[in-house]
Amino acid sequence: MLLEGIRRYCCLALLPLAGLSDAGQGKALAHLQGIAHPAVIAHRGASFDAPESTAPAYLLARELGADYLELDLQRSRDGVLVAVHDDTLLRTSDVAQRFPERKNSPVSAFTLAELKLLDVGSWFNKAYPERARSRFVGLKIQTLDEVIDIAEGDPRKQPGLYIETKKPRLFPGIEAQLKARLQARGWLEQPGRVVLQSFDRSSLALLQQEMPQVPRVLLLWIGDGGIEPASKQTFAQSGESDKAAFYARQQPESQAEFERWLDYAKATGAIGVGPSAARSAGGAQSYADLAQPWMNRLSHDKQLLVHVYTVDEEVDFAKVMAAGVDGIFTNRSGNLLRHFSRPAALNEVQILDEQGY
Ligand code: G3P
Ligand code: CA
Protein backbone atom coordinates (compact mmCIF):
# COMPACT_ATOMS: atom_id res chain seq x y z
CA MET A 1 0.00 0.00 0.00
CA LEU A 2 2.83 2.36 0.94
CA LEU A 3 4.72 1.54 -2.25
CA GLU A 4 1.58 2.13 -4.25
CA GLY A 5 1.20 5.51 -2.53
CA ILE A 6 4.79 6.47 -3.30
CA ARG A 7 4.39 5.38 -6.91
CA ARG A 8 1.20 7.40 -7.23
CA TYR A 9 2.88 10.37 -5.60
CA CYS A 10 5.83 10.23 -7.97
CA CYS A 11 3.59 9.99 -11.04
CA LEU A 12 1.30 12.75 -9.93
CA ALA A 13 4.15 14.99 -8.82
CA LEU A 14 5.24 14.95 -12.44
CA LEU A 15 1.78 15.79 -13.72
CA PRO A 16 1.35 19.40 -14.79
CA LEU A 17 -1.46 20.11 -12.30
CA ALA A 18 -1.48 23.73 -13.38
CA GLY A 19 -2.62 22.58 -16.83
CA LEU A 20 -5.72 20.88 -15.45
CA SER A 21 -9.10 22.56 -15.03
CA ASP A 22 -9.87 23.86 -11.55
CA ALA A 23 -12.06 20.83 -10.80
CA GLY A 24 -9.44 18.54 -12.30
CA GLN A 25 -6.77 20.01 -10.05
CA GLY A 26 -8.81 19.31 -6.92
CA LYS A 27 -9.53 15.76 -8.02
CA ALA A 28 -5.90 15.06 -8.81
CA LEU A 29 -4.81 16.48 -5.45
CA ALA A 30 -7.37 14.34 -3.62
CA HIS A 31 -6.38 11.16 -5.41
CA LEU A 32 -2.75 11.88 -4.68
CA GLN A 33 -3.62 11.75 -0.99
CA GLY A 34 -5.99 8.77 -1.16
CA ILE A 35 -8.95 11.04 -0.34
CA ALA A 36 -12.37 10.58 -1.95
CA HIS A 37 -13.48 13.31 -4.36
CA PRO A 38 -15.82 14.94 -3.69
CA ALA A 39 -15.53 13.86 -0.06
CA VAL A 40 -18.55 13.38 2.20
CA ILE A 41 -17.44 14.25 5.73
CA ALA A 42 -19.96 13.38 8.44
CA HIS A 43 -19.70 16.35 10.80
CA ARG A 44 -19.84 14.98 14.38
CA GLY A 45 -21.41 11.93 12.71
CA ALA A 46 -24.84 12.13 11.11
CA SER A 47 -25.61 14.81 13.67
CA PHE A 48 -28.83 16.11 12.14
CA ASP A 49 -30.60 12.82 12.80
CA ALA A 50 -28.88 11.70 16.01
CA PRO A 51 -27.13 13.45 18.90
CA GLU A 52 -23.73 14.74 17.77
CA SER A 53 -20.60 12.67 18.42
CA THR A 54 -22.56 9.70 19.79
CA ALA A 55 -22.64 6.05 18.72
CA PRO A 56 -25.88 6.34 16.68
CA ALA A 57 -24.60 9.48 14.92
CA TYR A 58 -21.43 7.66 13.85
CA LEU A 59 -23.20 4.37 13.08
CA LEU A 60 -25.72 6.17 10.93
CA ALA A 61 -23.02 8.08 9.03
CA ARG A 62 -21.15 4.83 8.43
CA GLU A 63 -24.23 2.99 7.17
CA LEU A 64 -25.24 5.90 4.93
CA GLY A 65 -21.83 5.59 3.26
CA ALA A 66 -20.02 8.75 4.38
CA ASP A 67 -16.36 8.82 3.38
CA TYR A 68 -15.22 10.17 6.75
CA LEU A 69 -16.53 10.32 10.31
CA GLU A 70 -15.56 13.74 11.70
CA LEU A 71 -14.72 14.22 15.34
CA ASP A 72 -13.39 16.88 17.69
CA LEU A 73 -10.66 15.45 19.87
CA GLN A 74 -10.29 16.33 23.54
CA ARG A 75 -8.80 14.52 26.55
CA SER A 76 -10.23 13.47 29.90
CA ARG A 77 -8.51 14.32 33.18
CA ASP A 78 -7.08 10.81 33.30
CA GLY A 79 -5.69 11.04 29.79
CA VAL A 80 -8.24 9.32 27.55
CA LEU A 81 -8.97 10.76 24.10
CA VAL A 82 -12.67 11.53 23.62
CA ALA A 83 -14.94 13.00 20.94
CA VAL A 84 -16.55 16.21 22.24
CA HIS A 85 -17.06 19.45 20.35
CA ASP A 86 -17.67 22.19 22.92
CA ASP A 87 -15.19 23.38 25.53
CA THR A 88 -17.71 22.53 28.23
CA LEU A 89 -20.40 19.86 28.55
CA LEU A 90 -23.31 22.20 29.26
CA ARG A 91 -24.98 22.29 25.86
CA THR A 92 -24.96 18.58 25.08
CA SER A 93 -25.22 16.82 28.43
CA ASP A 94 -26.81 16.74 31.86
CA VAL A 95 -23.61 17.93 33.53
CA ALA A 96 -25.57 20.69 35.32
CA GLN A 97 -27.59 18.00 37.11
CA ARG A 98 -24.80 15.45 37.62
CA PHE A 99 -21.99 17.79 38.59
CA PRO A 100 -23.62 21.17 39.34
CA GLU A 101 -20.50 22.56 40.98
CA ARG A 102 -18.45 21.76 37.84
CA LYS A 103 -21.05 22.48 35.18
CA ASN A 104 -18.88 25.16 33.56
CA SER A 105 -15.65 23.22 33.82
CA PRO A 106 -13.79 22.14 30.69
CA VAL A 107 -13.92 18.55 29.44
CA SER A 108 -10.39 18.09 30.81
CA ALA A 109 -11.68 18.52 34.38
CA PHE A 110 -13.53 15.18 34.24
CA THR A 111 -12.18 11.65 34.37
CA LEU A 112 -13.39 9.23 31.76
CA ALA A 113 -15.55 7.49 34.39
CA GLU A 114 -17.19 10.84 35.16
CA LEU A 115 -17.68 11.67 31.49
CA LYS A 116 -19.28 8.26 30.99
CA LEU A 117 -21.86 9.09 33.67
CA LEU A 118 -23.24 11.90 31.52
CA ASP A 119 -26.31 11.59 29.32
CA VAL A 120 -25.39 13.13 25.95
CA GLY A 121 -28.61 12.17 24.18
CA SER A 122 -31.52 13.73 26.04
CA TRP A 123 -30.65 17.32 25.11
CA PHE A 124 -31.21 16.35 21.45
CA ASN A 125 -34.69 14.97 22.16
CA LYS A 126 -35.64 18.23 23.85
CA ALA A 127 -34.09 20.43 21.14
CA TYR A 128 -35.48 18.41 18.22
CA PRO A 129 -38.68 16.64 19.31
CA GLU A 130 -39.49 15.76 15.69
CA ARG A 131 -36.31 13.64 15.55
CA ALA A 132 -36.36 12.43 19.15
CA ARG A 133 -36.02 8.72 19.97
CA SER A 134 -36.37 7.11 23.36
CA ARG A 135 -33.14 5.14 22.77
CA PHE A 136 -31.20 8.40 22.57
CA VAL A 137 -31.79 8.93 26.29
CA GLY A 138 -28.65 8.04 28.23
CA LEU A 139 -26.24 7.95 25.27
CA LYS A 140 -22.59 8.12 26.31
CA ILE A 141 -19.61 10.20 25.27
CA GLN A 142 -17.43 8.23 22.85
CA THR A 143 -13.72 7.65 23.22
CA LEU A 144 -11.53 7.79 20.12
CA ASP A 145 -11.21 4.01 20.33
CA GLU A 146 -14.96 3.59 20.36
CA VAL A 147 -15.31 5.76 17.26
CA ILE A 148 -12.63 3.64 15.59
CA ASP A 149 -14.59 0.51 16.60
CA ILE A 150 -17.65 1.95 14.87
CA ALA A 151 -15.67 2.90 11.75
CA GLU A 152 -14.37 -0.69 11.60
CA GLY A 153 -17.69 -2.26 12.52
CA ASP A 154 -19.19 -3.05 9.12
CA PRO A 155 -16.88 -4.67 6.55
CA ARG A 156 -19.15 -3.42 3.73
CA LYS A 157 -18.61 0.19 4.80
CA GLN A 158 -15.18 1.51 5.57
CA PRO A 159 -15.31 5.19 6.45
CA GLY A 160 -12.12 6.99 7.33
CA LEU A 161 -11.69 9.37 10.25
CA TYR A 162 -11.38 13.14 9.93
CA ILE A 163 -9.99 14.22 13.29
CA GLU A 164 -9.79 17.78 14.62
CA THR A 165 -7.46 18.67 17.46
CA LYS A 166 -9.84 20.97 19.36
CA LYS A 167 -8.30 23.74 21.48
CA PRO A 168 -5.03 21.76 21.36
CA ARG A 169 -3.18 24.18 23.63
CA LEU A 170 -5.35 22.87 26.47
CA PHE A 171 -4.04 19.37 25.78
CA PRO A 172 -0.24 19.40 25.53
CA GLY A 173 1.09 16.30 23.81
CA ILE A 174 -2.28 15.36 22.29
CA GLU A 175 -0.73 15.10 18.82
CA ALA A 176 1.78 12.43 19.92
CA GLN A 177 -0.91 10.64 21.88
CA LEU A 178 -3.18 10.62 18.85
CA LYS A 179 -0.42 9.14 16.75
CA ALA A 180 0.17 6.40 19.31
CA ARG A 181 -3.53 5.42 19.34
CA LEU A 182 -3.89 5.48 15.56
CA GLN A 183 -0.73 3.46 15.18
CA ALA A 184 -1.82 0.94 17.80
CA ARG A 185 -5.10 0.50 15.92
CA GLY A 186 -3.34 0.09 12.57
CA TRP A 187 -4.91 3.22 11.16
CA LEU A 188 -1.76 4.84 9.80
CA GLU A 189 -1.02 2.31 7.11
CA GLN A 190 -3.55 3.19 4.45
CA PRO A 191 -3.02 6.56 2.72
CA GLY A 192 -5.93 8.93 3.27
CA ARG A 193 -7.75 6.71 5.79
CA VAL A 194 -7.21 9.46 8.36
CA VAL A 195 -7.26 13.21 7.70
CA LEU A 196 -6.16 15.55 10.47
CA GLN A 197 -7.51 19.08 10.87
CA SER A 198 -7.04 22.05 13.16
CA PHE A 199 -7.66 25.77 13.42
CA ASP A 200 -4.38 25.88 15.35
CA ARG A 201 -1.26 26.20 13.22
CA SER A 202 1.05 25.04 16.02
CA SER A 203 -0.98 21.87 16.40
CA LEU A 204 -0.80 21.26 12.65
CA ALA A 205 2.98 21.66 12.83
CA LEU A 206 3.11 19.11 15.67
CA LEU A 207 0.88 16.77 13.70
CA GLN A 208 3.27 17.09 10.79
CA GLN A 209 6.18 16.14 13.06
CA GLU A 210 4.30 13.15 14.43
CA MET A 211 2.53 11.92 11.30
CA PRO A 212 4.16 13.48 8.22
CA GLN A 213 2.51 10.88 5.98
CA VAL A 214 -1.05 11.69 7.12
CA PRO A 215 -2.90 14.43 5.21
CA ARG A 216 -3.58 17.56 7.25
CA VAL A 217 -5.98 20.45 6.70
CA LEU A 218 -5.84 23.98 8.11
CA LEU A 219 -9.31 25.18 9.09
CA LEU A 220 -10.04 28.76 8.06
CA TRP A 221 -12.23 31.35 9.73
CA ILE A 222 -12.50 35.09 9.78
CA GLY A 223 -11.90 37.30 12.81
CA ASP A 224 -10.24 36.77 16.16
CA GLY A 225 -6.97 34.92 15.59
CA GLY A 226 -7.97 34.08 12.04
CA ILE A 227 -8.16 35.88 8.70
CA GLU A 228 -8.24 39.64 9.17
CA PRO A 229 -11.72 40.93 8.22
CA ALA A 230 -12.28 43.90 5.89
CA SER A 231 -14.64 45.48 8.40
CA LYS A 232 -13.28 46.06 11.89
CA GLN A 233 -16.78 46.33 13.35
CA THR A 234 -17.44 43.62 15.93
CA PHE A 235 -20.70 41.71 16.24
CA ALA A 236 -21.54 43.71 19.35
CA GLN A 237 -20.84 46.99 17.55
CA SER A 238 -22.80 45.95 14.47
CA GLY A 239 -26.16 46.15 16.25
CA GLU A 240 -27.07 42.95 14.41
CA SER A 241 -29.17 40.46 16.37
CA ASP A 242 -28.44 37.48 14.13
CA LYS A 243 -24.86 36.25 14.23
CA ALA A 244 -25.22 34.35 10.94
CA ALA A 245 -26.27 37.57 9.16
CA PHE A 246 -23.25 39.34 10.66
CA TYR A 247 -20.87 36.56 9.58
CA ALA A 248 -22.39 36.43 6.09
CA ARG A 249 -21.25 40.02 5.50
CA GLN A 250 -17.67 39.34 6.53
CA GLN A 251 -14.98 39.38 3.87
CA PRO A 252 -11.21 39.01 4.13
CA GLU A 253 -9.37 42.31 4.33
CA SER A 254 -7.79 41.59 0.95
CA GLN A 255 -6.86 38.82 -1.42
CA ALA A 256 -3.33 39.02 -0.05
CA GLU A 257 -4.66 38.43 3.46
CA PHE A 258 -6.55 35.33 2.29
CA GLU A 259 -3.43 34.10 0.49
CA ARG A 260 -1.41 34.61 3.65
CA TRP A 261 -3.50 31.88 5.28
CA LEU A 262 -3.06 29.57 2.33
CA ASP A 263 0.67 30.10 2.70
CA TYR A 264 0.40 29.25 6.41
CA ALA A 265 -1.27 26.03 5.39
CA LYS A 266 1.54 25.25 2.95
CA ALA A 267 4.17 26.17 5.54
CA THR A 268 2.78 23.61 8.02
CA GLY A 269 2.73 20.96 5.32
CA ALA A 270 -1.06 20.91 5.04
CA ILE A 271 -2.54 19.36 1.91
CA GLY A 272 -5.68 21.45 2.09
CA VAL A 273 -7.77 24.06 3.78
CA GLY A 274 -11.15 23.89 5.48
CA PRO A 275 -12.96 27.18 4.93
CA SER A 276 -16.21 28.15 6.62
CA ALA A 277 -19.44 28.56 4.64
CA ALA A 278 -22.45 30.84 4.93
CA ARG A 279 -25.67 28.82 4.85
CA SER A 280 -28.64 30.02 2.84
CA ALA A 281 -30.91 29.46 5.82
CA GLY A 282 -28.50 30.95 8.38
CA GLY A 283 -28.43 29.35 11.82
CA ALA A 284 -25.79 28.58 14.43
CA GLN A 285 -23.41 26.84 12.02
CA SER A 286 -23.52 29.57 9.36
CA TYR A 287 -20.31 31.59 9.16
CA ALA A 288 -18.42 33.77 6.69
CA ASP A 289 -18.31 32.56 3.09
CA LEU A 290 -14.67 31.61 2.68
CA ALA A 291 -15.38 29.16 -0.15
CA GLN A 292 -15.98 31.68 -2.92
CA PRO A 293 -14.83 30.66 -6.41
CA TRP A 294 -11.80 32.96 -6.41
CA MET A 295 -10.71 31.61 -3.06
CA ASN A 296 -11.00 27.99 -4.17
CA ARG A 297 -9.09 28.78 -7.38
CA LEU A 298 -6.28 30.31 -5.34
CA SER A 299 -6.19 27.26 -3.08
CA HIS A 300 -6.00 24.91 -6.06
CA ASP A 301 -3.31 27.06 -7.66
CA LYS A 302 -1.30 26.48 -4.50
CA GLN A 303 -2.10 22.77 -4.74
CA LEU A 304 -4.36 22.83 -1.70
CA LEU A 305 -7.60 20.86 -1.47
CA VAL A 306 -10.74 22.62 -0.23
CA HIS A 307 -13.10 20.93 2.27
CA VAL A 308 -15.80 23.38 3.32
CA TYR A 309 -17.67 23.35 6.66
CA THR A 310 -20.65 22.90 7.35
CA VAL A 311 -23.62 22.76 4.96
CA ASP A 312 -26.69 20.56 4.98
CA GLU A 313 -29.11 21.72 2.29
CA GLU A 314 -29.35 20.94 -1.41
CA VAL A 315 -29.10 24.61 -2.40
CA ASP A 316 -25.87 25.00 -0.44
CA PHE A 317 -24.38 21.72 -1.70
CA ALA A 318 -24.94 22.96 -5.27
CA LYS A 319 -23.51 26.38 -4.46
CA VAL A 320 -20.28 25.21 -2.84
CA MET A 321 -19.70 22.52 -5.46
CA ALA A 322 -20.17 25.10 -8.24
CA ALA A 323 -17.68 27.28 -6.37
CA GLY A 324 -15.13 24.50 -6.73
CA VAL A 325 -14.78 22.77 -3.35
CA ASP A 326 -13.44 19.21 -3.13
CA GLY A 327 -15.44 17.97 -0.17
CA ILE A 328 -18.09 18.99 2.31
CA PHE A 329 -18.49 18.70 6.06
CA THR A 330 -22.18 18.05 6.63
CA ASN A 331 -24.50 17.10 9.46
CA ARG A 332 -26.70 15.44 6.83
CA SER A 333 -24.53 12.87 5.08
CA GLY A 334 -27.66 11.23 3.67
CA ASN A 335 -28.66 14.42 1.87
CA LEU A 336 -25.17 14.97 0.51
CA LEU A 337 -24.79 11.37 -0.65
CA ARG A 338 -28.13 11.63 -2.45
CA HIS A 339 -26.93 14.91 -4.00
CA PHE A 340 -23.89 13.04 -5.31
CA SER A 341 -26.12 10.17 -6.55
CA ARG A 342 -24.65 7.85 -3.92
CA PRO A 343 -27.79 6.99 -1.93
CA ALA A 344 -27.77 4.21 0.67
CA ALA A 345 -30.27 1.36 0.29
CA LEU A 346 -32.05 2.48 3.46
CA ASN A 347 -32.92 5.99 4.60
CA GLU A 348 -31.90 7.60 7.91
CA VAL A 349 -35.02 6.50 9.81
CA GLN A 350 -34.74 2.92 8.56
CA ILE A 351 -31.05 2.70 9.46
CA LEU A 352 -31.59 4.03 12.98
CA ASP A 353 -34.45 1.54 13.41
CA GLU A 354 -32.26 -1.28 12.11
CA GLN A 355 -29.40 -0.31 14.42
CA GLY A 356 -31.73 -0.58 17.41
CA TYR A 357 -32.37 3.10 18.04
O1 G3P B 1 -13.93 20.63 11.63
C1 G3P B 1 -14.62 21.38 10.67
C2 G3P B 1 -15.65 22.07 11.42
O2 G3P B 1 -16.15 21.08 12.26
C3 G3P B 1 -15.08 23.19 12.23
O3 G3P B 1 -16.04 23.71 13.02
O4 G3P B 1 -16.72 24.16 15.28
O5 G3P B 1 -17.90 22.43 13.98
O6 G3P B 1 -15.63 22.01 14.83
P1 G3P B 1 -16.60 23.03 14.33
CA1 CA C 1 -14.80 19.97 13.94
Side-chain angles (χ1 to χ4, degrees):
M1 192 56 95
L2 184 61
L3 264 182
E4 190 199 326
I6 293 168
R7 226 175 275 130
R8 257 185 321 152
Y9 175 82
C10 293
C11 293
L12 280 163
L14 297 174
L15 277 179
L17 284 185
L20 296 173
S21 68
D22 195 33
Q25 278 184 323
K27 199 167 189 171
L29 289 165
H31 287 169
L32 180 62
Q33 299 295 336
I35 296 172
H37 191 282
V40 175
I41 306 159
H43 185 244
R44 310 179 202 169
S47 55
F48 179 86
D49 292 286
E52 65 185 59
S53 313
T54 63
Y58 287 121
L59 280 165
L60 177 55
R62 180 191 76 193
E63 291 305 303
L64 286 166
D67 297 309
Y68 288 97
L69 309 182
E70 195 261 355
L71 65 113
D72 304 286
L73 198 68
Q74 301 199 49
R75 188 167 62 202
S76 67
R77 196 171 86 203
D78 50 344
V80 182
L81 298 178
V82 291
V84 180
H85 176 268
D86 293 5
D87 302 354
T88 76
L89 298 149
L90 260 182
R91 180 178 62 90
T92 58
S93 84
D94 58 349
V95 69
Q97 286 77 52
R98 281 257 172 209
F99 301 102
E101 71 294 348
R102 282 194 282 159
K103 67 178 184 186
N104 292 308
S105 298
V107 173
S108 60
F110 297 83
T111 64
L112 182 66
E114 288 170 337
L115 292 175
K116 284 286 189 184
L117 288 176
L118 297 175
D119 168 357
V120 291
S122 292
W123 73 274
F124 180 92
N125 286 353
K126 288 187 197 104
Y128 308 109
E130 68 283 10
R131 279 167 262 152
R133 286 174 177 252
S134 58
R135 295 293 298 271
F136 289 164
V137 174
L139 289 174
K140 301 298 177 202
I141 283 176
Q142 298 293 288
T143 64
L144 171 64
D145 273 287
E146 287 166 335
V147 180
I148 292 175
D149 290 342
I150 291 172
E152 291 177 346
D154 181 344
R156 298 163 307 167
K157 313 273 182 178
Q158 298 192 348
L161 292 179
Y162 208 120
I163 305 174
E164 178 180 352
T165 52
K166 190 59 108 186
K167 296 273 174 81
R169 285 159 208 246
L170 298 177
F171 304 105
I174 198 166
E175 295 83 5
Q177 193 181 352
L178 175 59
K179 177 195 177 177
R181 280 319 304 149
L182 291 172
Q183 204 158 41
R185 295 295 302 255
W187 269 68
L188 294 183
E189 283 145 31
Q190 188 182 325
R193 193 180 190 192
V194 175
V195 180
L196 304 168
Q197 43 158 345
S198 191
F199 285 104
D200 186 307
R201 288 186 275 142
S202 308
S203 185
L204 272 192
L206 289 169
L207 290 169
Q208 181 184 27
Q209 270 175 33
E210 295 294 339
M211 295 172 266
Q213 77 283 24
V214 177
R216 295 166 307 280
V217 163
L218 177 64
L219 298 171
L220 302 178
W221 82 107
I222 216 163
D224 230 12
I227 296 171
E228 191 62 33
S231 161
K232 308 305 171 204
Q233 196 180 50
T234 63
F235 175 60
Q237 291 163 345
S238 72
E240 188 74 66
S241 57
D242 178 8
K243 219 164 196 177
F246 171 77
Y247 280 134
R249 286 203 310 274
Q250 301 301 303
Q251 294 291 329
E253 186 177 57
S254 61
Q255 178 174 317
E257 169 61 4
F258 185 78
E259 272 197 82
R260 195 163 69 95
W261 283 81
L262 302 185
D263 293 337
Y264 286 152
K266 294 298 282 187
T268 57
I271 58 88
V273 287
S276 59
R279 295 168 166 219
S280 305
Q285 291 182 17
S286 185
Y287 310 111
D289 182 2
L290 296 179
Q292 297 166 44
W294 68 267
M295 297 168 168
N296 300 333
R297 267 195 305 275
L298 268 180
S299 299
H300 287 157
D301 286 348
K302 289 178 187 284
Q303 307 211 356
L304 289 166
L305 276 177
V306 181
H307 289 163
V308 66
Y309 67 94
T310 305
V311 296
D312 289 350
E313 304 297 335
E314 183 68 27
V315 60
D316 293 325
F317 298 151
K319 181 181 165 196
V320 296
M321 289 309 296
V325 307
D326 304 299
I328 300 178
F329 291 82
T330 181
N331 303 309
R332 304 192 71 171
S333 300
N335 278 4
L336 184 53
L337 287 156
R338 285 185 283 271
H339 178 81
F340 290 148
S341 303
R342 294 172 52 191
L346 301 180
N347 67 28
E348 288 84 335
V349 168
Q350 291 167 326
I351 292 172
L352 284 170
D353 288 346
E354 192 189 58
Q355 294 289 329
Y357 292 97

